[in-house]
Amino acid sequence: MIEKGKYIVYVDESGDDNLGYIDPKYPIFVINFCCFEISEYLNFVDPALKRFKFDYFGHDQIILHETDIRKSKKPFDFLEKNKDLKDDFLSNLSKIIENIPFTIVSVIIDKTKLKSQYNKPSNPYHLGLLFGLERLSKFF
């Protein structure tokens, strides 16, 4: 039997790691590590999210991207047409997230400061991973 850990970690980023052009509207790079105890994930998180997806989409293959939801992009374009449905959707999703037992380890890099402080700054993605993994090791 395979030795199993106690946690599962999902990682996602926001922004880009480009230091050549830094968008003044979003000059940061963010990387988040969402940590779940496997037993909590299997018994609560996965069933709650699957149920939510089946309720609104009839299947569970949807990826819940915040930007797509906020901007009502496909497959969330149905939210734009019905305010009550959108309110219901967002309320139900918020309740699930509020009740999910998880820990977030977040790294935010101000690319403008990074670039101004160093002659040859490290790639923000690589820095974010390094700092995040260091924090995860302390968490575990």
Side-chain angles (χ1 to χ4, degrees):
M1 184 175 238
I2 297 173
E3 185 178 334
K4 297 180 225 169
K6 184 177 178 182
Y7 294 91
I8 185 166
V9 179
Y10 290 96
V11 183
D12 198 11
E13 78 276 347
S14 178
D16 63 67
D17 62 353
N18 186 352
L19 292 175
Y21 169 75
I22 299 174
D23 183 349
K25 293 180 184 174
Y26 202 78
I28 60 173
F29 177 77
V30 180
I31 189 162
N32 289 307
F33 300 77
C34 295
C35 311
F36 302 88
E37 281 192 34
I38 291 172
S39 61
E40 294 283 350
Y41 186 85
L42 291 173
N43 294 317
F44 178 74
V45 179
D46 190 52
L49 289 173
K50 280 186 177 179
R51 191 174 311 108
F52 176 82
K53 290 176 180 184
F54 272 100
D55 286 348
Y56 287 95
F57 300 96
H59 59 84
D60 65 347
Q61 299 303 299
I62 297 296
I63 297 172
L64 300 171
H65 279 139
E66 179 270 340
T67 301
D68 295 343
I69 295 169
R70 186 172 37 84
K71 293 185 177 183
S72 297
K73 291 182 178 179
K74 286 188 177 185
F76 305 98
D77 52 340
F78 71 95
L79 297 174
E80 194 170 55
K81 299 169 187 150
N82 185 328
K83 185 184 178 330
D84 290 337
L85 181 60
K86 182 175 186 173
D87 291 346
D88 184 61
F89 178 92
L90 294 174
S91 175
N92 288 330
L93 182 56
S94 293
K95 285 176 192 170
I96 290 170
I97 293 169
E98 287 171 10
N99 292 311
I100 287 177
F102 67 107
T103 298
I104 295 178
V105 173
S106 188
V107 178
I108 302 169
I109 296 175
D110 182 325
K111 297 187 304 182
T112 305
K113 284 184 181 178
L114 177 67
K115 192 173 176 180
S116 70
Q117 287 181 330
Y118 298 96
N119 256 350
K120 294 182 181 179
S122 295
N123 178 287
Y125 194 95
H126 298 159
L127 280 176
L129 278 175
L130 175 67
F131 297 153
L133 291 172
E134 285 176 351
R135 291 178 184 162
L136 278 179
S137 70
K138 290 177 184 177
F139 172 75
F140 292 133

